[in-house]
Amino acid sequence: MTQRKGEKTTISIQEHMAIDVCPGPIQPIKQISDYFPRYPRGLPPTAPPALSRTGSLRSTSTSQKSEGPVVDPNQDEDDMDQAFGATALVASKKEEEPDVEGYDSDDSTTLGTLDFSLLYDQENNALHCTINKAKGLKPMDHNGLSDPYVKLHLLPGASKANKLRTKTLRNTLNPVWSETLTYYGITDEDMVRKTLRISVCDEDKFRHNEFIGETRIPLKKLKPNQTKNFSNCLEKQLPIDKTDDKSLEERGRIMISLKYSSQKSGLVVGIIRCAHLAAMDANGFSDPYVKTYLKPDENKKSKHKTTVKKKTLNPEFNEEFFYEIKYADLSKKTLEVTVWDYDIGKSNDFIGGVSLGINANGERLKHWFDCLKNKDKKIERWHTLTNELPGSGYND
């Protein structure tokens, strides 16, 4: 290409493209982190690889062409392997562990950790679950974050009736809830045989919520009236035992009081409150009321019914019913308590029931005997409602 004197050099677009793609050794672009190598956690630091005066690693092909003292090629290869090996480990670590909001996880905490505390209030039959915070949760959304919330279930018998959940926190992998969820009606029997399942999930508006991880705590590990703190690594979803008898599906809890009045010669039954009832309506609530029967009932006059409480799963009734009966006949009787959802224009829905008497067992039998042994003393107990009550007709 001829150029006149004084003319400015011009390069055509074709020549420019040819220059850019011209073959030759490709030198890696240096980053400032290459001058300060990072070593993977858990590995001992080693001497940094040999660098040239410009700070770049000397390749084998360049060292062969350059003039100067002879360098051992094996030593050069060792330096290169050491340098690129350390760099590759750091790079792979960055790909596997998203460094969001300053948290670094490792293999044992890839799903994250959850800090929480549990307190069993034995006097009030309540289990207080305080969800404090989570750290390093697994990203579930496209932006590399999650919208986490925590839900609780009591096993066995997990159902919507005993599910509690926290609020949802948006766009974070290190959420802080500081929220206390309480189960009411927890008995000593529950503390022996129940396990609390704590799950962390990601909420999605346009599709199903996604499971992140869970941890399970057998309630027998707790001591009454003593707060126990936990910081547990989340695990993958564990299978739930499907062998549980479906007839014992839990539908909530009910607090009942019993007292035999010597003065009135009769049994006073108190329906105090219910908690964590199963939702029977489309709005996620129920309109519950309670019915009681003292059986056998030859005259069919033992039926009593509370008022209906609208749109609630935790109704308070505080109503008492009186059954005139001789004290000696109580040992032959069974008290059946059923909870119903009131519906207008169609049949009412059965929520759950419980039976107290000589044919019962566990807490139900103990409550009945305590009433018989302690005349004129009101004894209150929580009981679990199940979806089946032996010997009852469920026609409302």
Side-chain angles (χ1 to χ4, degrees):
M1 180 179 183
T2 59
Q3 180 181 355
R4 296 180 183 178
K5 187 176 181 181
E7 273 190 1
K8 194 173 183 179
T9 304
T10 59
I11 301 176
S12 66
I13 186 66
Q14 290 85 357
E15 292 173 317
H16 181 73
M17 297 277 297
I19 291 172
D20 283 348
V21 299
C22 119
I26 299 175
Q27 298 296 329
I29 299 174
K30 294 300 297 179
Q31 298 180 0
I32 192 169
S33 59
D34 292 333
Y35 295 95
F36 304 96
R38 293 172 56 189
Y39 298 97
R41 188 167 47 192
L43 294 179
T46 56
L51 301 176
S52 66
R53 303 189 73 173
T54 60
S56 60
L57 292 168
R58 292 174 295 177
S59 63
T60 307
S61 59
T62 307
S63 62
Q64 288 176 350
K65 293 181 181 179
S66 61
E67 295 182 0
V70 179
V71 181
D72 184 5
N74 295 329
Q75 181 65 34
D76 236 2
E77 289 177 3
D78 292 342
D79 291 344
M80 293 289 287
D81 292 341
Q82 184 181 7
F84 283 110
T87 306
L89 280 172
V90 173
S92 64
K93 195 171 183 63
K94 287 182 179 179
E95 292 175 1
E96 293 173 0
E97 303 169 5
D99 186 11
V100 182
E101 299 187 7
Y103 181 80
D104 291 325
S105 62
D106 54 28
D107 291 340
S108 63
T109 58
T110 53
L111 300 178
T113 58
L114 182 66
D115 293 352
F116 59 97
S117 64
L118 301 177
L119 169 63
Y120 173 48
D121 183 353
Q122 190 175 34
E123 182 179 355
N124 297 308
N125 295 104
L127 176 64
H128 303 289
C129 312
T130 300
I131 308 300
N132 296 317
K133 62 183 178 179
K135 293 190 294 184
L137 293 181
K138 179 182 177 181
M140 305 299 289
D141 298 336
H142 295 300
N143 60 2
L145 300 172
S146 294
D147 301 321
Y149 67 92
V150 177
K151 63 179 181 179
L152 310 180
H153 284 101
L154 283 175
L155 304 175
S159 66
K160 291 183 179 180
N162 65 31
K163 181 184 78 172
L164 301 178
R165 62 163 286 174
T166 67
K167 60 181 179 290
T168 300
L169 300 181
R170 302 291 177 185
N171 297 323
T172 178
L173 298 182
N174 300 294
V176 178
W177 289 283
S178 298
E179 191 171 342
T180 299
L181 307 174
T182 301
Y183 280 106
Y184 295 100
I186 301 298
T187 64
D188 291 342
E189 183 181 359
D190 292 326
M191 296 301 294
V192 172
R193 67 185 186 91
K194 292 281 188 181
T195 295
L196 180 65
R197 178 191 184 197
I198 307 177
S199 307
V200 181
C201 302
D202 170 59
E203 183 177 294
D204 282 317
K205 292 182 178 179
F206 305 108
R207 53 180 180 172
H208 292 297
N209 296 341
E210 296 180 287
F211 176 85
I212 296 177
E214 71 170 42
T215 184
R216 299 187 185 185
I217 305 296
L219 296 185
K220 60 185 178 182
K221 288 186 175 182
L222 305 181
K223 295 181 179 179
N225 307 315
Q226 293 185 19
T227 301
K228 186 167 184 178
N229 297 310
F230 297 86
S231 182
N232 289 10
C233 295
L234 296 176
E235 303 176 76
K236 295 180 181 179
Q237 193 163 17
L238 301 173
I240 297 178
D241 188 4
K242 301 293 184 180
T243 60
D244 293 339
D245 188 357
K246 293 299 181 182
S247 66
L248 298 179
E249 178 187 345
E250 294 185 8
R251 297 293 187 90
R253 306 292 174 106
I254 185 170
M255 178 181 272
I256 302 172
S257 68
L258 298 177
K259 182 181 78 170
Y260 185 80
S261 173
S262 301
Q263 184 179 2
K264 296 181 179 180
S265 297
L267 177 67
V268 180
V269 177
I271 304 300
I272 301 173
R273 60 182 296 196
C274 295
H276 316 300
L277 292 180
M280 307 302 289
D281 297 336
N283 59 8
F285 293 96
S286 293
D287 301 319
Y289 67 94
V290 180
K291 294 193 304 179
T292 65
Y293 293 89
L294 192 61
K295 295 185 175 182
D297 182 20
E298 292 85 3
N299 300 324
K300 298 185 178 179
K301 294 182 179 180
S302 69
K303 175 182 175 181
H304 288 286
K305 182 194 292 187
T306 68
T307 57
V308 177
K309 303 296 180 180
K310 294 290 187 179
K311 199 177 179 181
T312 178
L313 300 180
N314 299 281
E316 292 193 16
F317 298 99
N318 294 313
E319 298 184 36
E320 288 187 343
F321 307 118
F322 178 76
Y323 291 100
E324 186 176 348
I325 184 174
K326 295 179 181 178
Y327 177 76
D329 293 338
L330 275 181
S331 60
K332 306 172 186 177
K333 294 289 186 178
T334 297
L335 178 68
E336 293 183 356
V337 181
T338 55
V339 183
W340 298 79
D341 170 52
Y342 177 75
D343 287 320
I344 299 176
K346 60 179 182 178
S347 298
N348 297 330
D349 299 319
F350 172 72
I351 296 178
V354 63
S355 177
L356 308 179
I358 57 173
N359 295 321
N361 52 39
E363 291 287 336
R364 299 175 294 281
L365 178 61
K366 187 176 185 299
H367 192 185
W368 190 255
F369 277 147
D370 286 346
C371 172
L372 297 179
K373 290 188 295 183
N374 299 278
K375 289 183 181 180
D376 300 311
K377 181 180 180 181
K378 181 187 290 188
I379 300 176
E380 298 178 352
R381 295 280 168 80
W382 281 97
H383 297 283
T384 300
L385 297 169
T386 61
N387 66 336
E388 187 175 18
L389 187 57
S392 272
Y394 291 146
N395 297 323
D396 187 34

